[in-house]
Coordinates of all heavy atoms in Angstrom, one line a residue:
F1 N 0.8 -1.2 0.0 CA 0.0 0.0 0.0 C 0.9 1.2 0.0 O 1.6 1.5 1.0 CB -0.9 -0.1 1.2 CG -1.9 1.1 1.3 CD1 -2.9 1.2 0.5 CD2 -1.6 2.1 2.2 CE1 -3.8 2.2 0.6 CE2 -2.5 3.2 2.3 CZ -3.6 3.2 1.5
N2 N 0.9 1.9 -1.1 CA 1.8 3.1 -1.2 C 1.0 4.4 -1.2 O 0.5 4.9 -2.2 CB 2.6 3.0 -2.5 CG 3.7 4.1 -2.6 OD1 3.8 4.9 -1.8 ND2 4.4 4.1 -3.7
F3 N 0.8 4.9 0.0 CA 0.0 6.1 0.2 C 0.7 7.3 -0.3 O 0.2 8.1 -1.1 CB -0.5 6.2 1.6 CG -1.3 7.5 1.9 CD1 -2.6 7.6 1.3 CD2 -0.9 8.5 2.7 CE1 -3.4 8.7 1.6 CE2 -1.6 9.6 2.9 CZ -2.9 9.7 2.4
D4 N 1.9 7.5 0.2 CA 2.7 8.7 -0.1 C 4.0 8.6 0.6 O 4.1 8.0 1.7 CB 2.0 10.0 0.4 CG 2.6 11.2 -0.2 OD1 3.8 11.4 -0.3 OD2 1.8 12.1 -0.6
S5 N 5.1 9.1 0.0 CA 6.4 9.0 0.6 C 6.8 10.3 1.3 O 7.9 10.4 1.9 CB 7.5 8.6 -0.4 OG 7.5 9.6 -1.4
A6 N 5.9 11.3 1.3 CA 6.2 12.5 2.0 C 5.0 12.9 2.9 O 4.2 13.7 2.4 CB 6.5 13.6 0.9
P7 N 4.9 12.4 4.1 CA 3.8 12.7 5.0 C 3.5 14.2 5.2 O 2.4 14.6 5.3 CB 4.1 12.0 6.3 CG 5.1 11.0 5.9 CD 5.9 11.5 4.7
E8 N 4.6 15.0 5.1 CA 4.3 16.5 5.4 C 3.5 17.1 4.2 O 3.1 18.2 4.4 CB 5.7 17.2 5.6 CG 6.5 17.3 4.3 CD 7.4 16.1 4.0 OE1 7.3 15.0 4.7 OE2 8.3 16.2 3.1
L9 N 3.4 16.4 3.1 CA 2.5 17.0 2.0 C 1.1 16.8 2.3 O 0.2 17.3 1.6 CB 3.0 16.4 0.7 CG 4.4 16.7 0.2 CD1 4.7 16.0 -1.1 CD2 4.6 18.2 0.1
T10 N 0.7 15.9 3.3 CA -0.7 15.7 3.6 C -1.2 17.0 4.3 O -0.6 17.5 5.3 CB -0.8 14.5 4.6 OG1 -0.3 13.4 4.0 CG2 -2.3 14.3 4.9
T11 N -2.2 17.6 3.8 CA -2.7 18.9 4.3 C -3.0 18.7 5.8 O -3.7 17.8 6.3 CB -4.0 19.3 3.6 OG1 -3.7 19.4 2.2 CG2 -4.6 20.6 4.2
G12 N -2.4 19.6 6.6 CA -2.6 19.6 8.1 C -1.5 18.8 8.8 O -1.4 19.0 10.0
C13 N -0.7 18.0 8.2 CA 0.3 17.2 8.9 C 1.6 18.0 9.0 O 2.0 18.6 8.0 CB 0.5 15.9 8.1 SG 1.6 14.8 9.0
T14 N 2.2 18.0 10.2 CA 3.4 18.8 10.4 C 4.6 17.9 10.6 O 5.7 18.4 10.7 CB 3.3 19.7 11.6 OG1 2.9 19.0 12.8 CG2 2.2 20.8 11.4
D15 N 4.4 16.6 10.6 CA 5.5 15.7 10.9 C 6.0 15.1 9.6 O 5.2 14.6 8.8 CB 5.1 14.6 11.8 CG 6.2 13.7 12.4 OD1 7.2 13.5 11.6 OD2 6.1 13.4 13.6
S16 N 7.3 15.1 9.3 CA 7.8 14.6 8.0 C 8.1 13.1 8.1 O 8.4 12.5 7.0 CB 9.1 15.3 7.6 OG 10.1 15.1 8.6
S17 N 8.0 12.5 9.2 CA 8.2 11.0 9.3 C 7.0 10.2 9.3 O 7.0 9.0 8.9 CB 9.1 10.7 10.5 OG 8.4 11.0 11.7
R18 N 5.9 10.7 9.9 CA 4.7 9.9 10.0 C 3.5 10.8 10.1 O 3.5 11.8 10.8 CB 4.8 9.0 11.2 CG 3.5 8.1 11.3 CD 3.7 7.2 12.5 NE 2.5 6.3 12.6 CZ 2.4 5.4 13.5 NH1 3.4 5.0 14.2 NH2 1.3 4.7 13.6
C19 N 2.3 10.4 9.5 CA 1.1 11.2 9.7 C -0.1 10.2 9.7 O 0.0 9.2 8.9 CB 0.9 12.2 8.5 SG -0.5 13.3 8.8
N20 N -1.1 10.4 10.5 CA -2.3 9.6 10.6 C -3.4 10.5 10.1 O -3.6 11.6 10.6 CB -2.6 9.2 12.0 CG -1.5 8.2 12.5 OD1 -1.5 7.1 12.1 ND2 -0.7 8.7 13.4
V21 N -4.2 9.9 9.2 CA -5.4 10.6 8.7 C -6.6 9.8 9.3 O -6.8 8.7 8.9 CB -5.5 10.7 7.2 CG1 -6.8 11.4 6.8 CG2 -4.3 11.5 6.6
W22 N -7.3 10.4 10.2 CA -8.5 9.7 10.9 C -9.8 10.1 10.2 O -10.0 11.3 10.0 CB -8.5 10.1 12.3 CG -7.5 9.5 13.2 CD1 -6.3 9.0 12.8 CD2 -7.4 9.5 14.6 NE1 -5.5 8.6 13.9 CE2 -6.2 8.9 15.0 CE3 -8.3 9.9 15.6 CZ2 -5.9 8.8 16.4 CZ3 -8.0 9.8 16.9 CH2 -6.8 9.2 17.3
T23 N -10.6 9.2 9.9 CA -11.9 9.5 9.4 C -13.0 8.8 10.3 O -13.2 7.6 10.3 CB -12.1 8.9 8.0 OG1 -11.1 9.5 7.1 CG2 -13.5 9.3 7.4
P24 N -13.6 9.6 11.2 CA -14.6 9.1 12.1 C -15.8 8.6 11.3 O -16.2 9.2 10.3 CB -15.0 10.3 13.0 CG -13.9 11.3 12.8 CD -13.4 11.0 11.4
Y25 N -16.4 7.4 11.7 CA -17.6 6.9 11.0 C -18.7 6.4 11.8 O -19.7 6.0 11.3 CB -17.1 5.8 10.0 CG -16.6 4.6 10.6 CD1 -17.4 3.5 11.0 CD2 -15.2 4.4 10.8 CE1 -17.0 2.4 11.6 CE2 -14.7 3.2 11.4 CZ -15.6 2.2 11.8 OH -15.1 1.1 12.3
G26 N -18.5 6.5 13.2 CA -19.6 6.0 14.0 C -19.3 6.1 15.5 O -18.2 6.5 15.9
L27 N -20.3 5.8 16.3 CA -20.1 5.8 17.8 C -20.4 4.4 18.3 O -21.3 3.7 17.8 CB -21.0 6.8 18.4 CG -20.7 8.2 18.2 CD1 -21.9 9.1 18.7 CD2 -19.4 8.6 18.8
S28 N -19.7 4.0 19.4 CA -20.0 2.7 20.1 C -19.9 3.0 21.5 O -18.7 3.1 22.1 CB -19.0 1.6 19.6 OG -19.3 0.4 20.4
G29 N -21.0 3.2 22.2 CA -20.9 3.6 23.6 C -20.3 5.0 23.7 O -20.7 6.0 23.2
S30 N -19.2 5.1 24.5 CA -18.4 6.3 24.7 C -17.2 6.4 23.7 O -16.4 7.3 23.9 CB -18.0 6.5 26.1 OG -17.1 5.5 26.5
D31 N -17.1 5.5 22.8 CA -16.0 5.5 21.8 C -16.4 6.0 20.4 O -17.5 5.8 20.0 CB -15.5 4.1 21.7 CG -14.7 3.6 22.9 OD1 -14.4 4.4 23.8 OD2 -14.5 2.4 23.0
V32 N -15.5 6.7 19.8 CA -15.6 7.1 18.4 C -14.9 6.1 17.6 O -13.8 5.7 17.8 CB -15.0 8.5 18.2 CG1 -15.1 8.9 16.7 CG2 -15.6 9.6 19.0
L33 N -15.6 5.5 16.6 CA -15.1 4.6 15.6 C -14.5 5.4 14.5 O -15.1 6.3 14.0 CB -16.1 3.6 15.2 CG -16.9 2.8 16.3 CD1 -18.0 2.0 15.6 CD2 -15.9 2.0 17.1
Y34 N -13.3 5.0 14.0 CA -12.7 5.7 12.9 C -11.8 4.7 12.1 O -11.3 3.7 12.6 CB -11.8 6.9 13.4 CG -10.7 6.5 14.3 CD1 -9.4 6.2 13.8 CD2 -10.9 6.5 15.7 CE1 -8.4 5.9 14.6 CE2 -9.8 6.2 16.5 CZ -8.6 5.9 16.0 OH -7.5 5.5 16.8
A35 N -11.6 5.1 10.8 CA -10.7 4.4 10.0 C -9.4 5.3 9.9 O -9.6 6.5 9.9 CB -11.2 4.3 8.6
R36 N -8.3 4.7 10.0 CA -7.0 5.5 10.1 C -6.1 5.1 8.9 O -5.8 3.9 8.8 CB -6.4 5.3 11.4 CG -5.1 6.0 11.6 CD -4.6 5.8 13.0 NE -4.6 4.4 13.5 CZ -3.7 3.9 14.3 NH1 -2.8 4.7 14.9 NH2 -3.8 2.7 14.7
V37 N -5.6 6.0 8.2 CA -4.6 5.8 7.2 C -3.3 6.3 7.8 O -3.2 7.4 8.2 CB -4.9 6.6 5.9 CG1 -3.7 6.4 4.9 CG2 -6.2 6.1 5.2
I38 N -2.3 5.4 7.8 CA -1.0 5.7 8.4 C 0.0 6.0 7.3 O 0.2 5.1 6.5 CB -0.5 4.6 9.3 CG1 -1.5 4.4 10.5 CG2 0.9 5.0 9.9 CD1 -1.2 3.2 11.3
N39 N 0.5 7.2 7.2 CA 1.4 7.6 6.1 C 2.8 7.7 6.7 O 3.1 8.7 7.4 CB 0.9 8.9 5.5 CG 1.7 9.4 4.4 OD1 2.6 8.7 4.0 ND2 1.3 10.5 3.8
N40 N 3.6 6.7 6.4 CA 5.0 6.7 6.9 C 5.9 7.2 5.8 O 5.8 6.9 4.6 CB 5.4 5.3 7.3 CG 4.8 4.9 8.6 OD1 5.0 5.6 9.6 ND2 4.1 3.8 8.6
G41 N 7.0 8.0 6.2 CA 8.0 8.4 5.3 C 8.7 7.2 4.6 O 8.9 6.3 5.3
G42 N 8.9 7.3 3.3 CA 9.5 6.2 2.6 C 8.4 5.2 2.1 O 8.7 4.3 1.3
A43 N 7.2 5.3 2.6 CA 6.1 4.4 2.1 C 6.3 2.9 2.2 O 5.7 2.2 1.6 CB 5.7 4.8 0.6
T44 N 7.2 2.5 3.1 CA 7.4 1.1 3.3 C 6.4 0.4 4.2 O 6.2 -0.8 4.2 CB 8.9 0.8 3.7 OG1 9.1 1.5 5.0 CG2 9.9 1.2 2.7
A45 N 5.8 1.2 5.1 CA 4.9 0.6 6.1 C 3.6 1.4 6.2 O 3.0 1.5 7.3 CB 5.6 0.6 7.5
D46 N 3.1 1.9 5.1 CA 1.9 2.6 5.1 C 0.8 1.5 5.3 O 0.9 0.4 4.9 CB 1.6 3.3 3.8 CG 2.5 4.5 3.6 OD1 3.2 4.9 4.5 OD2 2.6 4.9 2.4
S47 N -0.3 2.0 6.0 CA -1.4 1.0 6.2 C -2.7 1.7 6.5 O -2.8 2.9 6.6 CB -1.1 0.1 7.4 OG -0.9 0.9 8.6
V48 N -3.8 0.9 6.4 CA -5.1 1.4 6.8 C -5.7 0.5 7.8 O -5.6 -0.8 7.7 CB -6.1 1.3 5.5 CG1 -7.5 1.8 5.9 CG2 -5.6 2.2 4.4
V49 N -6.1 1.0 8.9 CA -6.7 0.2 10.0 C -7.9 0.9 10.6 O -8.2 2.1 10.3 CB -5.6 0.1 11.2 CG1 -4.4 -0.7 10.8 CG2 -5.3 1.4 11.8
T50 N -8.8 0.1 11.3 CA -9.9 0.7 12.0 C -9.6 0.6 13.4 O -8.9 -0.3 13.9 CB -11.2 -0.1 11.6 OG1 -11.1 -1.4 11.9 CG2 -11.6 0.1 10.2
S51 N -10.1 1.6 14.2 CA -9.9 1.6 15.6 C -10.9 2.4 16.3 O -11.9 2.8 15.7 CB -8.5 2.3 15.8 OG -8.1 2.0 17.2
S52 N -10.8 2.7 17.6 CA -11.7 3.5 18.3 C -10.9 4.4 19.3 O -9.8 4.0 19.7 CB -12.7 2.7 19.0 OG -12.1 1.8 20.0
A53 N -11.6 5.4 19.8 CA -11.0 6.3 20.8 C -12.1 6.8 21.7 O -13.2 7.0 21.3 CB -10.3 7.5 20.1
D54 N -11.8 6.9 23.0 CA -12.8 7.4 24.0 C -13.1 8.9 23.6 O -12.2 9.7 23.4 CB -12.2 7.3 25.4 CG -13.2 7.7 26.4 OD1 -14.4 7.5 26.2 OD2 -12.7 8.1 27.5
T55 N -14.4 9.2 23.7 CA -14.8 10.6 23.3 C -14.3 11.6 24.4 O -14.3 12.8 24.0 CB -16.3 10.7 23.3 OG1 -16.9 10.2 24.5 CG2 -16.9 9.9 22.1
G56 N -13.9 11.2 25.5 CA -13.4 12.1 26.5 C -11.9 12.4 26.4 O -11.4 13.3 27.1
V57 N -11.2 11.8 25.5 CA -9.8 12.0 25.3 C -9.5 13.2 24.4 O -10.1 13.2 23.3 CB -9.1 10.8 24.8 CG1 -7.6 11.0 24.5 CG2 -9.2 9.6 25.8
S58 N -8.7 14.2 24.8 CA -8.4 15.3 23.9 C -7.3 14.9 22.9 O -6.3 14.2 23.2 CB -7.9 16.5 24.7 OG -7.4 17.5 23.8
T59 N -7.5 15.2 21.6 CA -6.5 14.9 20.6 C -5.8 16.2 20.1 O -5.0 16.2 19.2 CB -7.2 14.3 19.4 OG1 -8.2 15.2 18.9 CG2 -7.8 12.9 19.7
V60 N -5.9 17.3 20.9 CA -5.3 18.6 20.5 C -3.8 18.5 20.4 O -3.2 19.0 19.5 CB -5.8 19.7 21.4 CG1 -5.0 21.0 21.2 CG2 -7.3 19.9 21.3
S61 N -3.2 17.7 21.3 CA -1.7 17.7 21.4 C -1.1 16.7 20.5 O 0.1 16.5 20.4 CB -1.3 17.4 22.8 OG -1.7 16.1 23.2
L62 N -1.9 15.9 19.8 CA -1.4 14.9 18.9 C -1.1 15.5 17.5 O -2.0 15.7 16.7 CB -2.5 13.7 18.7 CG -2.9 13.1 20.0 CD1 -4.0 12.0 19.8 CD2 -1.7 12.4 20.7
V63 N 0.2 15.7 17.3 CA 0.6 16.5 16.1 C 0.7 15.6 14.8 O 0.8 16.1 13.7 CB 2.0 17.1 16.2 CG1 1.9 18.2 17.3 CG2 3.1 16.1 16.5
R64 N 0.6 14.3 15.0 CA 0.6 13.4 13.8 C -0.8 13.0 13.3 O -0.9 12.0 12.6 CB 1.4 12.1 14.2 CG 2.9 12.4 14.5 CD 3.6 11.1 14.8 NE 5.0 11.4 14.9 CZ 5.9 10.4 15.1 NH1 5.5 9.2 15.1 NH2 7.2 10.8 15.2
I65 N -1.8 13.7 13.7 CA -3.1 13.3 13.4 C -3.8 14.4 12.6 O -3.8 15.6 12.9 CB -4.0 13.0 14.6 CG1 -3.4 11.7 15.3 CG2 -5.4 12.8 14.2 CD1 -4.2 11.4 16.6
V66 N -4.5 14.0 11.5 CA -5.3 14.9 10.7 C -6.6 14.3 10.5 O -6.7 13.1 10.3 CB -4.6 15.2 9.3 CG1 -5.6 16.0 8.4 CG2 -3.3 15.8 9.4
Y67 N -7.7 15.0 10.7 CA -9.0 14.4 10.5 C -9.5 14.6 9.1 O -9.4 15.7 8.5 CB -10.1 15.1 11.4 CG -9.9 14.7 12.9 CD1 -9.1 15.4 13.7 CD2 -10.4 13.5 13.3 CE1 -8.9 15.0 15.0 CE2 -10.2 13.0 14.6 CZ -9.4 13.8 15.5 OH -9.2 13.4 16.7
G68 N -9.9 13.5 8.5 CA -10.3 13.5 7.1 C -11.8 13.9 7.0 O -12.6 13.5 7.8
V69 N -12.1 14.8 6.1 CA -13.4 15.3 5.8 C -13.8 14.9 4.4 O -13.1 15.3 3.5 CB -13.6 16.8 6.0 CG1 -15.0 17.2 5.7 CG2 -13.2 17.2 7.4
W70 N -14.8 14.1 4.2 CA -15.2 13.6 2.9 C -16.5 14.1 2.5 O -17.4 14.3 3.3 CB -15.2 12.1 2.9 CG -13.9 11.5 3.4 CD1 -13.6 11.1 4.7 CD2 -12.8 11.2 2.6 NE1 -12.3 10.7 4.8 CE2 -11.8 10.7 3.5 CE3 -12.5 11.3 1.3 CZ2 -10.6 10.2 3.1 CZ3 -11.3 10.9 0.8 CH2 -10.3 10.4 1.7
T71 N -16.7 14.4 1.2 CA -18.0 14.9 0.7 C -18.4 13.9 -0.4 O -17.6 13.3 -1.1 CB -18.0 16.3 0.2 OG1 -17.0 16.3 -0.9 CG2 -17.6 17.3 1.2
V72 N -19.7 13.7 -0.5 CA -20.3 12.9 -1.5 C -21.2 13.7 -2.4 O -22.0 14.4 -1.9 CB -21.1 11.7 -0.9 CG1 -21.7 10.8 -1.9 CG2 -20.2 10.9 0.0
S73 N -21.0 13.6 -3.7 CA -21.9 14.4 -4.6 C -23.3 13.7 -4.6 O -23.4 12.6 -4.4 CB -21.3 14.5 -6.0 OG -21.1 13.2 -6.5
S74 N -24.2 14.5 -4.9 CA -25.6 14.1 -4.9 C -25.9 13.2 -6.2 O -25.5 13.6 -7.3 CB -26.6 15.3 -5.0 OG -27.9 14.8 -5.1
V75 N -26.4 12.0 -5.9 CA -26.7 11.1 -7.0 C -28.2 10.8 -6.9 O -28.7 10.5 -5.8 CB -25.9 9.8 -6.9 CG1 -26.3 8.8 -7.9 CG2 -24.4 10.1 -6.9
P76 N -29.0 10.8 -8.0 CA -30.4 10.5 -7.9 C -30.6 9.1 -7.4 O -29.9 8.1 -7.8 CB -30.9 10.7 -9.3 CG -29.8 11.1 -10.1 CD -28.6 11.1 -9.3
E77 N -31.6 8.9 -6.5 CA -31.9 7.6 -6.0 C -32.6 6.7 -7.0 O -33.4 7.2 -7.8 CB -32.8 7.7 -4.8 CG -32.1 8.4 -3.6 CD -32.9 8.3 -2.3 OE1 -33.7 7.4 -2.2 OE2 -32.7 9.2 -1.5
P78 N -32.2 5.4 -7.1 CA -32.8 4.5 -8.1 C -34.3 4.4 -7.9 O -35.1 4.3 -8.9 CB -32.1 3.2 -7.9 CG -30.9 3.5 -7.2 CD -31.1 4.8 -6.4
T79 N -34.8 4.5 -6.7 CA -36.2 4.4 -6.5 C -37.0 5.5 -7.2 O -38.1 5.3 -7.7 CB -36.6 4.4 -5.0 OG1 -36.0 5.5 -4.4 CG2 -36.0 3.1 -4.3
T80 N -36.5 6.7 -7.2 CA -37.2 7.8 -7.9 C -37.3 7.5 -9.4 O -38.4 7.7 -9.9 CB -36.4 9.1 -7.7 OG1 -36.2 9.4 -6.3 CG2 -37.1 10.3 -8.3
T81 N -36.2 7.1 -10.0 CA -36.3 6.8 -11.4 C -37.2 5.6 -11.7 O -38.0 5.7 -12.6 CB -34.9 6.4 -11.9 OG1 -34.0 7.5 -11.6 CG2 -34.8 6.1 -13.4
F82 N -37.2 4.6 -10.8 CA -38.1 3.5 -11.0 C -39.6 3.9 -10.9 O -40.4 3.5 -11.7 CB -37.8 2.4 -9.9 CG -38.8 1.3 -9.9 CD1 -38.7 0.3 -10.9 CD2 -39.8 1.2 -8.9 CE1 -39.7 -0.7 -10.9 CE2 -40.7 0.2 -8.9 CZ -40.6 -0.8 -9.9
L83 N -39.9 4.8 -9.9 CA -41.3 5.2 -9.7 C -41.7 6.0 -10.9 O -42.9 5.9 -11.4 CB -41.4 6.0 -8.4 CG -41.3 5.2 -7.1 CD1 -41.3 6.2 -5.9 CD2 -42.5 4.3 -7.0
L84 N -40.9 6.9 -11.5 CA -41.2 7.6 -12.7 C -41.5 6.7 -13.9 O -42.5 6.9 -14.6 CB -40.1 8.6 -13.0 CG -40.1 9.8 -12.1 CD1 -38.8 10.7 -12.4 CD2 -41.3 10.7 -12.2
L85 N -40.6 5.7 -14.0 CA -40.8 4.8 -15.2 C -42.1 3.9 -14.9 O -42.8 3.6 -15.9 CB -39.6 3.9 -15.3 CG -38.4 4.6 -15.9 CD1 -37.2 3.6 -15.8 CD2 -38.6 5.0 -17.3
A86 N -42.3 3.5 -13.7 CA -43.5 2.7 -13.4 C -44.8 3.5 -13.7 O -45.8 3.0 -14.2 CB -43.5 2.2 -12.0
G87 N -44.8 4.8 -13.2 CA -45.9 5.6 -13.5 C -46.2 5.9 -14.9 O -47.3 5.8 -15.4
A88 N -45.1 6.1 -15.7 CA -45.3 6.3 -17.1 C -45.8 5.0 -17.8 O -46.7 5.1 -18.7 CB -43.9 6.7 -17.8
T89 N -45.3 3.9 -17.4 CA -45.8 2.6 -17.9 C -47.3 2.4 -17.7 O -48.1 2.0 -18.5 CB -45.0 1.4 -17.4 OG1 -43.6 1.6 -17.6 CG2 -45.4 0.1 -17.9
V90 N -47.7 2.7 -16.4 CA -49.1 2.5 -16.1 C -50.0 3.5 -16.9 O -51.1 3.2 -17.4 CB -49.3 2.7 -14.6 CG1 -50.8 2.8 -14.2 CG2 -48.7 1.6 -13.8
W91 N -49.5 4.7 -17.0 CA -50.2 5.8 -17.8 C -50.4 5.3 -19.2 O -51.4 5.4 -19.8 CB -49.5 7.1 -17.7 CG -50.2 8.2 -18.5 CD1 -51.3 8.9 -18.1 CD2 -49.8 8.7 -19.7 NE1 -51.6 9.8 -19.1 CE2 -50.7 9.7 -20.1 CE3 -48.7 8.4 -20.6 CZ2 -50.6 10.4 -21.3 CZ3 -48.6 9.1 -21.8 CH2 -49.5 10.1 -22.1
L92 N -49.3 4.9 -19.8 CA -49.3 4.4 -21.2 C -50.3 3.2 -21.4 O -51.0 3.1 -22.4 CB -47.9 4.1 -21.8 CG -47.1 5.3 -22.1 CD1 -45.6 4.8 -22.4 CD2 -47.7 6.1 -23.2
A93 N -50.2 2.3 -20.5 CA -51.1 1.1 -20.5 C -52.5 1.5 -20.4 O -53.4 1.0 -21.2 CB -50.7 0.1 -19.4
G94 N -52.9 2.4 -19.6 CA -54.2 2.9 -19.4 C -54.7 3.7 -20.7 O -55.8 3.6 -21.1
R95 N -53.8 4.5 -21.2 CA -54.1 5.2 -22.5 C -54.4 4.3 -23.6 O -55.3 4.5 -24.4 CB -52.9 6.2 -22.7 CG -53.2 7.1 -23.9 CD -52.0 8.1 -23.9 NE -52.0 8.8 -25.2 CZ -52.7 9.9 -25.5 NH1 -53.4 10.5 -24.5 NH2 -52.6 10.4 -26.7
R96 N -53.5 3.2 -23.7 CA -53.7 2.3 -24.8 C -55.0 1.5 -24.7 O -55.7 1.3 -25.7 CB -52.5 1.3 -24.8 CG -52.5 0.4 -26.0 CD -51.3 -0.6 -26.0 NE -50.1 0.2 -26.1 CZ -48.8 -0.2 -26.0 NH1 -48.6 -1.4 -25.6 NH2 -47.8 0.6 -26.1
T97 N -55.4 1.2 -23.4 CA -56.7 0.5 -23.2 C -57.9 1.4 -23.6 O -58.8 1.0 -24.2 CB -56.8 0.1 -21.8 OG1 -55.7 -0.7 -21.4 CG2 -58.0 -0.7 -21.5
S98 N -57.8 2.7 -23.3 CA -58.9 3.6 -23.5 C -59.0 3.9 -25.0 O -60.1 4.1 -25.6 CB -58.8 4.9 -22.8 OG -57.6 5.6 -23.2
I99 N -57.9 3.8 -25.8 CA -57.9 4.1 -27.2 C -58.5 2.9 -27.9 O -59.3 3.0 -28.9 CB -56.5 4.4 -27.7 CG1 -56.0 5.7 -27.2 CG2 -56.4 4.3 -29.3 CD1 -54.6 6.1 -27.5
A100 N -58.2 1.7 -27.4 CA -58.7 0.5 -28.1 C -60.2 0.3 -27.9 O -60.9 -0.4 -28.7 CB -58.0 -0.8 -27.5
R101 N -60.9 0.9 -27.0 CA -62.3 0.8 -26.8 C -63.0 1.6 -27.8 O -63.6 2.0 -28.5 CB -62.7 1.2 -25.4 CG -62.2 0.3 -24.4 CD -62.7 0.8 -23.0 NE -62.1 -0.1 -22.0 CZ -62.3 0.1 -20.7 NH1 -63.1 1.0 -20.3 NH2 -61.8 -0.7 -19.9

C-alpha cells in the first residue's frame, strides 16, 4: 500500500516522518469509531486500520493526526427513477386500453 512517501505533504500534517489521517464513521458507547490511514515516510509501512478512541480524550496535542473530511456528490436515488418509469408505464397502458375501446 503506497499512500505517499512525503507525509508532510498531507494537508494539516506537520511531521515529516509519519502522519495519521483519521476518518470518524460512528459511535459505540463512549467510543468514536474511525478508519485510520497511516502515512510513513518512505512508504514502506503505510497501512489502513480501523480503531476507536474514547470521546473524553483530547487529541489537540497529537501532532501526527489529521481528521479527514469527505464529501459525496448528490446522486439520484434509483427508487425515484423506478417510480417515474412505473408511473409512465401505467399511464401508457391505461391510455392504450382507452384508445382500443
Side-chain angles (χ1 to χ4, degrees):
F1 181 75
N2 186 1
F3 179 67
D4 196 315
S5 59
E8 70 275 10
L9 295 179
T10 303
T11 301
C13 190
T14 58
D15 192 322
S16 62
S17 64
R18 180 176 180 175
C19 188
N20 293 288
V21 179
W22 291 13
T23 302
Y25 65 86
L27 292 172
S28 177
S30 65
D31 289 346
V32 175
L33 305 174
Y34 61 89
R36 178 174 52 149
V37 175
I38 302 168
N39 184 359
N40 285 303
T44 57
D46 292 344
S47 60
V48 177
V49 295
T50 57
S51 194
S52 64
D54 185 26
T55 55
V57 175
S58 174
T59 59
V60 173
S61 64
L62 302 175
V63 297
R64 294 181 174 186
I65 295 177
V66 175
Y67 287 94
V69 178
W70 304 92
T71 58
V72 178
S73 61
S74 178
V75 177
E77 294 186 29
T79 53
T80 303
T81 304
F82 173 76
L83 288 173
L84 287 171
L85 289 173
T89 303
V90 169
W91 178 77
L92 285 173
R95 186 174 164 89
R96 188 175 294 167
T97 303
S98 66
I99 291 174
R101 289 184 186 180

